[in-house]
Amino acid sequence: RRAFGKVYQRCRKMKLADSSCIVCVFTEINRPFILMDWMKRGYQIVITEQIHKELQENEKTDKLVSPEIKKGNIKINKLITEQELITFRTRYPMLGLGESSVILTALKLKEEKKRYYAILDDGNARKTASKLGVNFTGTYGLLKTLKEKGHIDEQIFNQCKKEMEKSKFRIDFNKVK
């Protein structure tokens, strides 16, 4: 059994979340189940150290997310060095620190042949991720996939979508499929 557990952990897929996703689901639409449901499906919810620092700057979000980190439901990945991040940001100055850390971590995971999806909502971050061959989706994409796989019903999906439209979360639902 232990050997199977170790293999399972290695094969486990990751949802590497940017701060916009965490803030949206925990604070703006108050639906943390969007991320927690992925854990039930065999995914790890992972943030970088830089994303963790960004989340700690918002007291309301930090209060909701910190217990999930302490319980191990959200893991903090320390795969990249500060120097790697500085070098990456020099090459992609239009990206924020958090987005850069997510993309750079995703590139390392890809290099190590680990299964992951970066959750990026910023347009520049998504363009850069696409250009670099990073697997990514957005917060809305996570929600939509849960609906398509039958893990949430149409009513909950539409409630979440309405909440996202009313929140500070910037998404033009007319442009997403």
Side-chain angles (χ1 to χ4, degrees):
R1 232 178 187 199
R2 280 187 178 253
F4 173 76
K6 287 181 183 179
V7 170
Y8 175 72
Q9 287 294 343
R10 271 196 308 248
C11 295
R12 207 164 183 199
K13 302 163 276 195
M14 289 180 237
K15 297 289 185 192
L16 182 59
D18 189 16
S19 59
S20 64
C21 173
I22 303 289
V23 170
C24 180
V25 300
F26 276 89
T27 308
E28 293 180 3
I29 68 168
N30 192 24
R31 300 287 202 300
F33 77 83
I34 291 171
L35 286 180
M36 297 305 139
D37 197 75
W38 286 102
M39 283 180 22
K40 294 176 196 168
R41 314 236 174 283
Y43 287 83
Q44 283 185 331
I45 306 303
V46 179
I47 59 175
T48 64
E49 289 179 290
Q50 293 75 17
I51 296 299
H52 186 227
K53 286 177 187 167
E54 283 181 17
L55 295 171
Q56 288 176 316
E57 291 170 9
N58 181 318
E59 193 176 322
K60 186 177 176 184
T61 303
D62 186 44
K63 189 183 282 189
L64 296 168
V65 175
S66 285
E68 299 302 331
I69 292 170
K70 284 183 182 128
K71 287 189 261 181
N73 291 336
I74 297 174
K75 306 240 186 267
I76 300 171
N77 184 294
K78 300 175 182 178
L79 195 57
I80 59 173
T81 67
E82 201 63 38
Q83 188 54 52
E84 289 170 319
L85 190 55
I86 290 167
T87 303
F88 186 83
R89 291 200 67 213
T90 301
R91 188 166 184 183
Y92 301 99
M94 71 295 233
L95 300 178
L97 185 63
E99 292 135 354
S100 295
S101 71
V102 169
I103 293 170
L104 189 55
T105 299
L107 288 169
K108 288 233 178 182
L109 292 170
K110 180 180 173 182
E111 194 176 282
E112 294 176 3
K113 299 196 182 338
K114 295 203 175 159
R115 297 171 68 185
Y116 73 92
Y117 255 92
I119 307 168
L120 299 164
D121 294 308
D122 177 76
N124 285 329
R126 292 169 70 90
K127 285 177 193 167
T128 303
S130 179
K131 181 175 140 185
L132 296 172
V134 168
N135 296 327
F136 70 92
T137 190
T139 305
Y140 177 71
L142 288 176
L143 183 64
K144 189 175 170 192
T145 301
L146 285 174
K147 181 187 78 123
E148 289 169 352
K149 292 186 175 201
H151 302 306
I152 61 172
D153 63 28
E154 189 78 28
Q155 183 182 359
I156 291 173
F157 173 77
N158 287 328
Q159 286 173 347
C160 291
K161 189 175 165 183
K162 272 186 189 168
E163 292 293 322
M164 286 174 84
E165 286 177 309
K166 288 191 289 186
S167 77
K168 295 178 200 166
F169 191 78
R170 295 173 298 221
I171 185 168
D172 183 351
F173 286 104
N174 296 319
K175 291 185 179 179
V176 293
K177 298 175 184 174

